[in-house]
Amino acid sequence: MERYDLAIIGAGPAGLAAACAAYENGARKIVVIERDREAGGILNQCIHNGFGLHHFKEELTGPEYAQRFIRMVKETDINLLLDTMVLKVTQDKKLHIMNPQDGYKIVSAETVILAMGCRERTRGAIGIPGTRPAGVFTAGAAQRYVNIEGYMVGKRVVILGSGDIGLIMARRMTLEGAKVLACIELMPYSNGLSRNIVQCLDDYGIPLFLSHTITEIKGKNRVEGVCVQKVDKLGKPIPGTEINFDCDTVLLSVGLIPENELTRETGIEIDHRTRGPVVFENMETSVPGIFACGNVAHVHDLVDYVTAEGFRAGAAAARFCQNQIPAYDSKRVTTFKCGDNVSYAFPQHIRPEGINKYAELFFRVKRPVINAVIELKSGNEVLCSYKRNHMAPGEMEKIIIPKEALETADGLLTISVAGE
Amino acid sequence: MKRLICILCPKGCHLEIDEKQGYKVSGNGCPRGEQYGKREVIAPVRTLTSTVKVVDALHSRCPVKTDSAIPRKLILKAMRLLDNVQLQAPVHCGDIVIENVFDSGANIIATRDLDKVS
Amino acid sequence: MYDVVIIGCGVIGASAAYELSKYKLSIAVLEKENDVACGATRANSAIIHAGFDPKPGTKMARLNVLGSRMMGELCEKLSVEYSQIGSLVLAFTEKEMECVRELYERGGKNQVPGLRILTRDEVLQIEPNVNVEVIGALHAPTAAIINPWGLCLALAQNAKINGVDIHLNSEVVRISNKGGHYHVETTSGAYDTRYIVNAAGVYSDKVSDMVAEPFFRITAVKGEYYILDKSQGDIVNYVLFQTPSSVGKGVLIAPTVHGNLIVGPTSEPTADPEDTSVSYRGLEEVVKKSMRLCARISFKESIRNFAGVRAMGGDDFILEASAPNFINAAAIKSPGLSSAPAIALEICDLLKENGLDLIEKDSHTLYKKKPLFKNMRPDEQKKVLELDRRYGRVICRCETITEGDIIEAIKAPVPPVSIDGVKRRCEAGSGRCQGGFCAPRVHEILSREMGRAMESICQGKAGSYILTGKTKTPGGGAV
């Protein structure tokens, strides 16, 4: 059986960053297993710019961002195993893998990093009424057809959901000659970055309908139109507000779900809020020696943060396989509880022994707020507080927690956000 | 007074630009935001990202971009230029696809490597 | 000149074709869609009913019980997914318990084997997730779950390799009686035949009207369903029914043969026999009614909603001639799928009664679908991988379907022509991401293997195009 120090599942931004960091930190026998025919993951189809401002301090396109990491990996002797599917991971870190060259085989690793990314929510998951014609695509599937394969998926388009991929595809379809009639958002605010609303919708005069949803898809074989309605505060369509659009295509940008089928089968603890594995400050999951990073752990909006998480997981995995991770005091674990207006906090647990001076905590608000005050409390005692001008569910927030604050806490900290 | 959201980085600062006071910008989080606010009101520019045809590569399209922002009004014109380009693999990230688009000073460059495949 | 032309290639038409292909006859099946199993066959509850529901003495009662008895062996022979898990009709009130006892009586008369009335405790022991307010149930051990389109496909594939012509995209537009034989005109050409079997589903009344005085009317009744993720697939062990009402068997909950959970249907007449749209109201009704049986289902795990249209007409199946040598197999509502193998035998008998000689062929070839790679034993997997490396490439991640599986489906006697056609044959795209990742790959494989341009490949039925052109072709993508 082939043996590796580290096996990384997925060669998207998280997996590639983890591989680089693990290598730099002394792990040697590393394999990165990717199901696609090339490394880079979803970045390869994200041909727009806006990546890398944090990490590289310059603005790159998705493929350029991926390219830098692919080149770094190729400069090492990291084994990049493409066109290969991981079918199973066991708790003792045996990976059942399969590809056309080697067929079915089992490899073993000292440590494993899960970096499988996420998938898009589909029409079936949100239950849009109407017929089921061709022409309803998830924004990502449409993006692949248009940007990689060079095919147009429609001429008159309505986009449901104002997540970033939806907004980016609104511009992309417009530039390729399609007419994008509207972008429809159920919530009273957009889930996309402000910059994307400006440069993808406003620049091209595409209207954004907030507090609206598609209530019917029409057409027998191909989409022939949609009915859009305003929704009330509970998200229920309001009768009499129907607007009909004559379109042949619907793109869905209605959320991303971490892909954790392998994780679940391995028996790793999952957080129902993030829908990813529960991890510690070093990205280790509930199974020692198995780490997770990137969108498999929680959905990010910036690849730079995915990279940072990949680095953290890669470095920790390298230490693990060199037996440099101390036996932590299991009683000294800080767990985060979501208080007012916080939908999730990540990582779920921080061991004060595992950090130097500061810990980073990522989280999202449930509703947009302005002049926000973020509080971290132990019981009723406020340990730290932070201010932000604007916060929105579509933009992941980060706070820095001093080690002392974690050490004084009794194991449970509540994070909450107040504001207007 | 014009209100804009800065699009230079994902932070999205809410800018106010006062045309009457020499395009004075407020609300910006960094100096680049001031520059952006002014330019956005006077003559907005954008980076164009798209694809061009490529043959003998794993995919049939190669992603490209303008290596600096070009006037927004040139975007659709530049798109039509790309229709007539066909690259031959191998392609290297940074290869110039079209030089000095409409005298804007920007080149259109490939944004990834594509090896030659048979 | 054909001996028999069968109109419609749903599970009834395909069953008849399969049964008739055993005899020395020249046979054609005319199907208006671009694939088989496009109507009610692909959108139903996927249940084989035990047969306690139909009124004793009806054709439905007799054929249901016989069909249900034949089904297991047929599915085994043709490699169709089938599992005899049994069903429970749950009662929550004394009135419903009365109904359960009535069904038990009726089942006895219909000769349904193994029926038993269970107490509350017995129900909760074998089906712990049902609503605890249950007071009893009727257990029918012979009820089963099945892959209905898989059955139809297997029957059609077998008919095809045994000499039956399957003409797709052939909608019957006119039938003329030429005195001694029929001349059937379709959208793809005309065929002469001595006998006709009308298995045209929701259109069977219109087909009958082409040769005979109006004889029966079909009402299309729509039923909406949820399909839930495999995470919900083991919430129930049995097919769970409510007690039937005048409008049908009501909303049921059942595991599917693929490990998902199916919940539905509603029941609503529709003017358009092809109206398979779903509605807020319908889906809400499914959720609400299913809660009464079992409240543990997480509808957040929904992966697909669909609706099917059942051909209703009269109280019983219509299995009789409406003109000389013109046999109707019409109004085959539930339990039509369960009865299909028996209906096929009935059709043979009716043809014989009308003077058709049924002489058995010396040999009948069996076409058995190759198991999916994921269902093979490790040694089989090793062997196929050595022969064809494409079995090592997983295309559909949710269901672990390989390129080899997809190519095998494409090479079958009745090949798929669309993405949905591939899905029906090998599950690619039927999982939780609903083809989000694999549809473009399946599309590419289909295009390559069929030697057809990507733009010409459809999602499902003819006209369900996916792509509108190429990018970067001057004028190509533009409006």
Side-chain angles (χ1 to χ4, degrees):
Chain A
M1 196 184 298
E2 278 169 57
R3 287 179 177 283
Y4 290 95
D5 288 347
L6 169 61
I8 299 171
I9 307 173
L16 292 173
C20 292
Y23 191 83
E24 264 172 41
N25 283 278
R28 274 304 165 260
K29 284 205 75 185
I30 303 173
V31 62
V32 185
I33 307 168
E34 167 58 44
R35 53 195 160 199
D36 212 337
R37 288 167 288 188
E38 57 181 349
I42 214 72
L43 284 175
N44 289 327
Q45 67 184 58
C46 298
I47 63 166
H48 54 282
N49 60 338
F51 300 93
L53 281 163
H54 290 260
H55 187 71
F56 291 111
K57 309 289 175 222
E58 58 179 306
E59 190 163 21
L60 303 172
T61 65
E64 289 172 312
Y65 191 97
Q67 195 85 65
R68 295 200 177 186
F69 284 94
I70 294 168
R71 282 184 183 166
M72 280 188 248
V73 167
K74 285 188 173 164
E75 277 162 19
T76 66
D77 56 3
I78 293 169
N79 183 8
L80 188 54
L81 204 53
L82 299 173
D83 206 4
T84 304
M85 185 78 182
V86 177
L87 299 169
K88 193 159 97 181
V89 180
T90 61
Q91 291 217 353
D92 63 349
K93 304 179 197 77
K94 304 258 189 303
L95 285 79
H96 295 239
I97 65 172
M98 186 166 78
N99 67 28
Q101 284 67 47
D102 311 318
Y104 191 112
K105 65 177 182 182
I106 301 171
V107 299
S108 85
E110 281 289 306
T111 55
V112 175
I113 296 178
L114 307 172
M116 293 89 77
C118 58
R119 66 166 181 270
E120 296 177 278
R121 284 178 83 201
T122 64
R123 179 179 177 184
I126 58 172
I128 309 171
T131 54
R132 284 170 308 290
V136 181
F137 300 87
T138 57
Q143 191 178 42
R144 183 177 172 93
Y145 273 124
V146 176
N147 291 349
I148 301 222
E149 322 226 353
Y151 292 101
M152 277 303 272
V153 296
K155 294 181 175 176
R156 293 175 62 81
V157 185
V158 169
I159 296 175
L160 179 62
S162 60
D164 287 312
I165 318 170
L167 299 175
I168 292 289
M169 280 309 286
R171 174 177 64 184
R172 191 71 194 108
M173 293 295 286
T174 306
L175 287 176
E176 290 296 345
K179 174 81 186 155
V180 178
L181 302 167
C183 181
I184 314 292
E185 171 60 54
L186 181 70
M187 305 307 284
Y189 49 85
S190 163
N191 275 314
L193 299 170
S194 307
R195 64 187 318 234
N196 285 335
I197 302 215
V198 173
Q199 57 183 359
C200 298
L201 299 184
D202 297 353
D203 273 6
Y204 298 94
I206 300 167
L208 171 62
F209 289 79
L210 298 175
S211 296
H212 278 71
T213 194
I214 295 180
T215 52
E216 190 187 358
I217 292 178
K218 296 179 242 187
K220 205 167 133 190
N221 294 315
R222 173 78 189 197
V223 174
E224 288 166 19
V226 295
C227 180
V228 168
Q229 275 175 273
K230 199 170 170 32
V231 296
D232 62 20
K233 281 187 179 143
L234 299 168
K236 291 260 180 225
I238 303 170
T241 59
E242 292 82 358
I243 314 168
N244 285 295
F245 289 96
D246 198 0
C247 61
D248 62 9
T249 305
V250 177
L251 299 189
L252 303 176
S253 171
V254 291
L256 300 169
I257 302 167
E259 262 217 317
N260 280 296
E261 278 64 44
L262 273 179
T263 320
R264 272 192 201 93
E265 271 179 60
T266 309
I268 292 169
E269 189 191 348
I270 301 274
D271 179 347
H272 70 271
R273 286 171 297 210
T274 55
R275 300 185 73 158
V278 169
V279 298
F280 291 94
E281 71 295 332
N282 63 352
M283 312 308 292
E284 193 168 8
T285 68
S286 62
V287 174
I290 300 187
F291 300 78
C293 57
N295 282 347
V296 80
H298 62 133
V299 175
H300 295 65
D301 23 70
L302 295 182
V303 71
D304 303 73
Y305 289 152
V306 169
T307 299
E309 234 172 71
F311 282 162
R312 196 175 303 165
R319 282 198 297 275
F320 186 97
C321 56
Q322 294 164 82
N323 296 317
Q324 287 171 6
I325 291 188
Y328 289 114
D329 180 353
S330 63
K331 286 191 201 98
R332 298 190 58 208
V333 176
T334 305
T335 299
F336 294 91
K337 198 180 147 200
C338 299
D340 274 354
N341 200 14
V342 172
S343 59
Y344 75 76
F346 185 91
Q348 289 81 355
H349 306 300
I350 293 179
R351 295 168 292 209
E353 292 166 284
I355 58 170
N356 287 327
K357 285 182 181 157
Y358 301 100
E360 287 177 337
L361 186 74
F362 296 88
F363 66 98
R364 282 177 194 272
V365 290
K366 290 180 181 165
R367 304 173 295 278
V369 280
I370 54 171
N371 301 327
V373 178
I374 305 160
E375 284 185 338
L376 198 59
K377 288 192 226 169
S378 170
N380 287 324
E381 185 196 349
V382 178
L383 296 180
C384 318
S385 80
Y386 311 78
K387 286 203 168 92
R388 295 285 186 277
N389 292 334
H390 303 269
M391 293 178 82
E395 298 180 13
M396 194 168 77
E397 285 291 338
K398 180 172 89 172
I399 54 170
I400 307 285
I401 308 170
K403 189 172 182 170
E404 307 90 75
L406 294 169
E407 281 172 333
T408 54
D410 65 351
L412 189 68
L413 288 181
T414 304
I415 175 168
S416 58
V417 176
E420 298 155 38
Chain B
M1 186 76 80
K2 279 215 156 165
R3 290 187 169 80
L4 289 177
I5 296 171
C6 180
I7 62 169
L8 288 184
C9 82
K11 209 170 152 192
C13 291
H14 291 238
L15 309 179
E16 289 192 350
I17 301 104
D18 195 341
E19 300 105 312
K20 289 180 189 129
Q21 293 203 35
Y23 299 100
K24 189 173 174 297
V25 180
S26 52
N28 52 309
C30 74
R32 299 199 318 141
E34 185 183 348
Q35 211 185 0
Y36 168 80
K38 256 184 210 163
R39 207 170 47 189
E40 188 68 8
V41 172
I42 302 165
V45 294
R46 296 286 184 268
T47 296
L48 170 65
T49 59
S50 186
T51 62
V52 294
K53 289 192 281 280
V54 59
V55 292
D56 297 335
L58 177 63
H59 305 304
S60 56
R61 294 293 180 275
C62 175
V64 297
K65 71 171 185 184
T66 54
D67 58 7
S68 59
I70 61 171
R72 195 171 72 188
K73 60 181 196 290
L74 287 181
I75 292 280
L76 287 172
K77 267 175 81 184
M79 276 298 293
R80 297 287 77 83
L81 274 187
L82 299 178
D83 287 347
N84 302 312
V85 175
Q86 177 164 301
L87 302 180
Q88 165 75 49
V91 176
H92 300 285
C93 189
D95 283 358
I96 293 179
V97 173
I98 300 174
E99 226 168 315
N100 191 15
V101 189
F102 299 119
D103 282 328
S104 61
N107 300 315
I108 291 178
I109 58 169
T111 56
R112 67 167 289 173
D113 294 348
L114 276 169
D115 294 338
K116 190 178 167 69
V117 296
S118 44
Chain C
M1 173 80 71
Y2 287 111
D3 293 316
V4 184
V5 156
I6 300 164
I7 301 172
C9 202
V11 74
I12 301 301
S15 296
Y18 170 74
E19 210 48 57
L20 288 168
S21 72
K22 295 173 181 170
Y23 302 102
K24 290 180 177 165
L25 297 169
S26 70
I27 305 161
V29 187
L30 309 180
E31 169 53 52
K32 83 178 171 66
E33 302 298 346
N34 62 2
D35 199 357
V36 307
C38 282
T41 299
R42 78 149 176 231
N44 57 71
S45 307
I47 301 297
I48 300 304
H49 295 281
F52 51 77
D53 199 52
K55 224 162 94 190
T58 57
K59 289 177 194 145
M60 263 158 64
R62 177 169 55 86
L63 298 171
N64 183 168
V65 175
L66 177 60
S68 147
R69 197 159 70 214
M70 295 168 70
M71 197 62 86
E73 199 183 317
L74 182 66
C75 289
E76 170 75 42
K77 187 172 163 191
L78 303 182
S79 294
V80 175
E81 300 95 329
Y82 166 93
S83 178
Q84 200 172 72
I85 60 172
S87 68
L88 297 174
V89 179
L90 302 175
F92 298 94
T93 63
E94 200 35 59
K95 204 173 150 217
E96 288 179 352
M97 204 55 214
E98 194 52 47
C99 179
V100 160
R101 284 188 279 269
E102 217 171 279
L103 289 174
Y104 176 82
E105 292 294 320
R106 225 194 276 180
K109 285 184 193 144
N110 292 347
Q111 295 181 315
V112 178
L115 289 181
R116 238 162 45 88
I117 292 180
L118 306 184
T119 62
R120 175 179 189 272
D121 288 351
E122 286 173 317
V123 175
L124 289 173
Q125 193 165 19
I126 60 172
E127 196 64 295
N129 287 332
V130 298
N131 184 345
V132 289
E133 281 160 39
V134 70
I135 60 170
L138 176 66
H139 176 221
T142 55
I145 53 174
I146 189 171
N147 171 354
W149 56 88
L151 173 64
C152 180
L153 268 163
L155 293 163
Q157 310 275 25
N158 273 280
K160 178 93 185 270
I161 61 155
N162 284 290
V164 174
D165 292 336
I166 296 178
H167 301 291
L168 300 172
N169 302 303
S170 302
E171 181 177 355
V172 174
V173 289
R174 195 176 300 121
I175 305 174
S176 30
N177 191 335
K178 295 284 180 191
H181 79 270
Y182 288 106
H183 183 68
V184 185
E185 289 168 63
T186 77
T187 45
S188 74
Y191 308 94
D192 290 304
T193 179
R194 296 168 56 213
Y195 290 82
I196 291 177
V197 174
N198 173 16
V202 286
Y203 294 104
S204 53
D205 50 351
K206 287 172 192 72
V207 170
S208 173
D209 291 353
M210 292 177 189
V211 296
E213 287 300 306
F215 185 66
F216 58 89
R217 289 273 70 88
I218 296 294
T219 321
V221 177
K222 188 167 81 172
E224 301 184 27
Y225 293 87
Y226 269 96
I227 296 287
L228 301 172
D229 186 73
K230 290 185 175 172
S231 67
Q232 307 293 302
D234 53 8
I235 283 186
V236 300
N237 304 315
Y238 294 82
V239 179
L240 301 186
F241 295 107
Q242 3 219 342
T243 48
S245 68
S246 55
V247 292
K249 299 188 187 78
V251 169
L252 63 86
I253 302 171
T256 72
V257 286
H258 298 119
N260 300 87
L261 193 74
I262 186 169
V263 188
T266 53
S267 179
E268 197 169 342
T270 163
D272 175 3
E274 305 212 4
D275 172 16
T276 55
S277 61
V278 294
S279 62
Y280 277 125
R281 209 184 44 195
L283 296 176
E284 266 171 25
E285 185 187 326
V286 170
V287 173
K288 217 175 90 199
K289 291 196 170 157
S290 71
M291 298 279 266
R292 196 163 173 257
L293 297 175
C294 167
R296 292 257 173 96
I297 301 166
S298 167
F299 283 90
K300 275 187 189 159
E301 298 292 315
S302 162
I303 63 167
R304 189 174 179 83
N305 311 121
F306 72 89
V309 174
R310 292 154 279 177
M312 309 298 270
D315 295 332
D316 205 351
F317 294 153
I318 296 169
L319 287 160
E320 58 186 294
S322 57
N325 302 348
F326 183 94
I327 313 293
N328 293 297
I332 311 292
K333 55 247 167 203
S334 174
L337 173 62
S338 320
S339 312
I343 291 175
L345 296 181
E346 190 84 355
I347 290 169
C348 291
D349 287 347
L350 286 166
L351 287 167
K352 214 148 86 184
E353 277 170 30
N354 277 266
L356 181 67
D357 283 336
L358 298 183
I359 303 159
E360 267 188 56
K361 284 178 186 167
D362 302 329
S363 70
H364 191 252
T365 314
L366 177 68
Y367 172 83
K368 223 172 156 133
K369 192 181 109 183
K370 202 160 160 183
L372 292 171
F373 182 82
K374 64 173 176 181
N375 297 331
M376 291 178 190
R377 291 192 314 268
D379 60 306
E380 290 173 325
Q381 289 185 334
K382 209 168 160 233
K383 217 159 73 189
V384 295
L385 266 169
E386 271 163 20
L387 289 169
D388 188 345
R389 289 283 163 199
R390 292 174 300 190
Y391 277 98
R393 181 176 290 126
V394 174
I395 300 293
C396 165
R397 327 165 170 178
C398 300
E399 299 299 320
T400 321
I401 305 302
T402 71
E403 188 172 4
D405 293 319
I406 294 168
I407 290 168
E408 177 71 17
I410 296 173
K411 301 273 187 244
V414 183
V417 294
S418 66
I419 307 277
D420 287 351
V422 170
K423 175 169 90 176
R424 283 195 292 276
R425 283 161 178 82
C426 66
E427 299 175 31
S430 66
R432 48 180 71 88
C433 92
Q434 288 287 297
F437 285 114
C438 69
R441 299 287 302 276
V442 170
H443 195 160
E444 211 179 296
I445 295 168
L446 202 50
S447 156
R448 184 188 72 210
E449 296 295 316
M450 291 172 67
R452 279 177 43 190
M454 286 283 281
E455 295 97 311
S456 75
I457 306 280
C458 280
Q459 179 69 45
K461 292 183 182 181
S464 61
Y465 62 92
I466 300 165
L467 305 174
T468 55
K470 287 192 169 82
T471 64
K472 306 299 159 200
T473 28
V479 180

